[in-house]
Structures are given as structure tokens and as C-alpha cells.
Amino acid sequence: MPKTLSDDQLSRYARHIALPDFGVEGQTRLAEAKVLIIGAGGLGSPIAMYLAAAGVGHIAIADGDCVELSNLQRQIVHSTADVGRPKALSAAETMRALNPTIEVIPMERFIPADEMADLFAPFDFIIEATDSLDTKFAVDRACRLIGKPYNHGAIFRYEGQTMTVLPGTTSFADLFPDGPEAVSRGPIAGPLGVVPGVLGCLQATEAIKYITRTGTLLTDRLLRFNLLTMDFTTIRLR
């Protein structure tokens, strides 16, 4: 049976509900949705906060790292008091404080590639928000194996890129058919703190659009931006 929004939820999400082509139906879909965020760092931070604020009813967030002082320049879901704590727990605490009406499940671990398909199965949408190239390929393989929609995001210095993958559309592995070993891995440099904020907001937007069936998704397209020049480019992949 479809979920019924309470009076408090109708008030909390009033600006969403007032949007054309969104309304109560779109907000109800968010309340019923299950989303998994892989990574609670620079990208995962804005994704987690905006999905929580938007009212996604069930959010799991997975990360095996603990908060470090150097993270706080960009990982805004954590605070100085969280240094040394597991990122997944810190993020979940912030999300619950922002919106106590949703369910947040922290996963204090890195997900092995051979467990991804089974773990992803109950979720409606997966968001890949890691800095690990191997994890990006593993998420892509698992989602394609079980036909699960997901969004990819990556940053470097002043730049970011994102795309959404549905069953049958261009995937991350299609961009790099020779696998992770063929991709150049340079030294750590940056990023500028706001870069993951911009990209994380875009990734959260794609998840919300998919769940609410609103707008046009970034399928068969790669969105890239450079904040030094403020250039945004969409590359058609088919």
C-alpha cells in the first residue's frame, strides 16, 4: 500500500510538493525509496545531506574509513568533534539530526566486490561516491549484473564528472573497456573543497529525478565540469 504523508511531512516538504510535475506523488515516491550511498567522504557528504533533506525514506551509507582532520576541508557531513569516528556513523548521525523522519543505516565497512550484487539487490538506486577506481569498476559490474540503476561520480583537482547508468545504457566500463589497470593514476592533488560539493549535489539530483520520474537523466551522456573556468560540458556517449 502506498505510504501516506503525515501533516509534518506535508509541511517539511511543502516546497517540493508545490513543484510542477512533482507534487505529493513525487514526495511519496521519495518516502518509499531505498538508496545506497557508497562512500561517506567528499562526494558522499552532500549526497547524504541532500537525500536526507529531500525525504528519501530509507538510506544506507557505507564507508570503512574514520574521519581525519584533513577530510573536513570538503567532507561537510562531519564536524571537528567527529575526528577519529567511523565516517558511516558520523554521517548517519548528521542525517538523522537533519531529518528524524527517515531511516538511516550506517555500514561501517568497505564492501567487497563479490558481495556487491547481493547487497545492492534490495535498493532502488545506488550512488557510487568513492575515490577508488577499483571500486568504481566493481560497482559498475555488480549493477549491470543485476540490472540495478546507479550514478557514477569522480573528481580531480578542480574538475568533476558524473553519469547515470540504467540497464542497457552506456556504463562506466564502456568508457574504459581495458579495465582499471589501463587508467592512469597520478599523485593525490586536491581537490578544491567545493568541487565534491558541486558534484555531490548533481549526483543527489540524479537520484531524486530517477525516484520521482522527473526530468531527463544523464544516461548515455557524461557531464564534466571545471570550476576554474566554470565550463560545463555534456558529452554524448551514443
Side-chain angles (χ1 to χ4, degrees):
M1 179 175 291
K3 182 181 179 68
T4 301
L5 300 180
S6 67
D7 289 343
D8 285 348
Q9 287 174 310
L10 292 172
S11 178
R12 179 183 287 266
Y13 308 122
R15 297 299 187 272
H16 271 179
I17 292 169
L19 284 170
D21 303 319
F22 199 101
V24 171
E25 184 177 2
Q27 193 60 52
T28 301
R29 286 180 177 142
L30 287 178
E32 295 173 339
K34 297 179 179 180
V35 175
L36 171 61
I37 306 168
I38 305 174
L43 297 176
S45 288
I47 294 168
M49 294 178 73
Y50 272 103
L51 292 188
V56 174
H58 310 273
I59 306 173
I61 185 162
D63 199 307
D65 274 337
C66 291
V67 181
E68 299 178 6
L69 189 61
S70 62
N71 298 151
L72 301 182
Q73 159 256 16
R74 62 199 178 282
Q75 299 183 16
I76 58 172
V77 77
H78 314 297
S79 70
T80 302
D82 293 317
V83 171
R85 298 182 64 206
K87 286 185 180 180
L89 286 181
S90 170
E93 187 175 283
T94 301
M95 295 161 71
R96 292 179 186 128
L98 179 62
N99 191 346
T101 72
I102 65 172
E103 178 188 25
V104 183
I105 304 168
M107 299 180 178
E108 302 169 56
R109 65 189 185 104
F110 298 113
I111 304 170
D114 60 358
E115 295 182 16
M116 286 182 177
D118 288 339
L119 184 65
F120 293 177
F123 293 94
D124 301 306
F125 196 82
I126 310 297
I127 305 182
E128 183 274 304
T130 75
D131 58 5
S132 167
L133 191 59
D134 294 320
T135 300
K136 294 179 187 301
F137 277 94
V139 169
D140 178 81
R141 284 193 300 271
C143 286
R144 286 188 291 116
L145 177 66
I146 62 174
K148 190 67 63 174
Y150 80 95
N151 177 270
H152 149 76
I155 54 175
F156 179 68
R157 296 181 180 174
Y158 301 97
E159 303 173 8
Q161 70 177 36
T162 184
M163 64 188 291
T164 294
V165 180
L166 305 183
T169 68
T170 307
S171 72
F172 181 71
D174 291 330
L175 302 183
F176 305 100
D178 295 326
E181 293 76 15
V183 181
S184 174
R185 309 186 194 213
I188 295 175
L192 181 70
V194 296
V195 171
V198 172
L199 183 58
C201 286
L202 294 174
Q203 292 185 266
T205 303
E206 285 291 280
I208 291 170
K209 285 161 53 184
Y210 175 81
I211 294 165
T212 61
R213 306 172 194 173
T214 305
T216 303
L217 295 169
L218 275 170
T219 52
D220 294 324
R221 296 181 296 156
L222 181 70
L223 175 63
R224 303 190 70 179
F225 63 81
N226 184 318
L227 294 191
L228 276 186
T229 60
M230 280 301 175
D231 288 324
F232 284 71
T233 305
T234 302
I235 303 169
R236 295 197 176 275
L237 303 176
R238 286 192 178 182

